[in-house]
Amino acid sequence: MKELIKQALAESAEIKSELAKEVNLIIKIAEAFMATYQQGGKVILFGNGGSAADAQHIAAELVGRFKRERSALPAIALTTNTSILTALANDYSFDDIFARQVEALVKKGDLCLGISTSGNSPNVLAGIREAKKLGAKTIGFTGQSGGKLAGLTDLCLKVPSNDTPRIQEAHITIGHIICDLVERELFDRKQ
């Protein structure tokens, strides 16, 4: 067990270290979040399974706080209302659960973050397509290949791994970094 634990920690650290090569892309993503907020927009996040949990986690950091006491920032995870999710999946299709909510909630100037470790989740792709149609900025978080999501979004962070748990660990780390940068830029400069 000790070796398995050491190996998992080493793999996670190595992947995150590799992501340091993507610092310019991470800055662009953080700047897209900042610009959205500075222009009065909101952030919409979505994904399935662990990626849904990451979407909810990042939304909570933005609405609540990450490290600083500050005004709330508008962010919505599309995975939190089970009545909407089950109605859309039942009445339409599971592939439509995000696109339909994006249609209802997103306007030009908003930002949509679709999270999919494979980059090929049909409902995430449909949500991003709808966001683009409405004029929102689109960002993807994926694994190494990027899947179809990489070619669909305005910006896409591809974690250099094919291992779902390691990809998800990197996604939440990048989410935390973005929350920190957003708070610093939007609130520290005001003080």
Side-chain angles (χ1 to χ4, degrees):
M1 286 196 331
K2 286 181 182 178
E3 288 309 310
L4 287 174
I5 292 167
K6 288 179 184 178
Q7 181 182 350
L9 291 169
E11 287 172 2
S12 186
E14 183 179 336
I15 290 163
K16 290 173 186 168
S17 182
E18 281 291 308
L19 276 174
K21 295 176 184 174
E22 298 295 337
V23 67
N24 290 331
L25 174 60
I26 296 165
I27 289 170
K28 286 181 184 176
I29 292 169
E31 288 173 340
F33 273 70
M34 293 171 205
T36 297
Y37 286 131
Q38 289 167 331
Q39 296 164 13
K42 64 186 166 300
V43 173
I44 304 290
L45 311 93
F46 47 92
N48 298 291
S51 297
D54 289 342
Q56 291 169 208
H57 185 152
I58 296 166
E61 303 288 17
L62 293 168
V63 173
R65 68 169 178 261
F66 184 64
K67 290 185 175 182
R68 292 159 180 74
E69 285 300 326
R70 52 151 173 91
S71 303
L73 294 168
I76 303 167
L78 299 184
T79 51
T80 58
N81 188 321
T82 56
S83 295
I84 290 174
L85 292 174
T86 57
L88 295 175
N90 184 63
D91 297 348
Y92 296 92
S93 161
F94 188 72
D95 291 352
D96 296 325
I97 64 170
F98 299 135
R100 188 78 174 171
Q101 291 183 80
V102 167
E103 179 185 358
L105 299 170
V106 172
K107 61 178 177 47
K108 186 175 179 151
D110 289 344
L111 182 149
C112 287
L113 172 60
I115 308 174
S116 170
T117 58
S118 69
N120 292 316
S121 300
N123 56 6
V124 174
L125 295 171
I128 292 295
R129 283 188 196 100
E130 185 64 26
K132 290 184 82 63
K133 192 165 73 172
L134 296 169
K137 181 83 169 175
T138 58
I139 295 173
F141 281 8
T142 69
Q144 188 164 354
S145 77
K148 294 175 184 172
L149 195 58
L152 191 59
T153 53
D154 297 315
L155 298 168
C156 187
L157 178 80
K158 297 184 277 188
V159 173
S161 176
N162 292 311
D163 186 26
T164 298
R166 300 293 89 84
I167 296 166
Q168 291 171 336
E169 292 159 4
H171 285 170
I172 201 59
T173 299
I174 297 305
H176 278 165
I177 290 167
I178 289 166
C179 290
D180 190 27
L181 293 172
V182 166
E183 281 190 343
R184 288 172 187 269
E185 180 66 23
L186 299 184
F187 297 97
D188 284 3
R189 291 179 182 245
K190 290 180 181 178
Q191 297 174 357

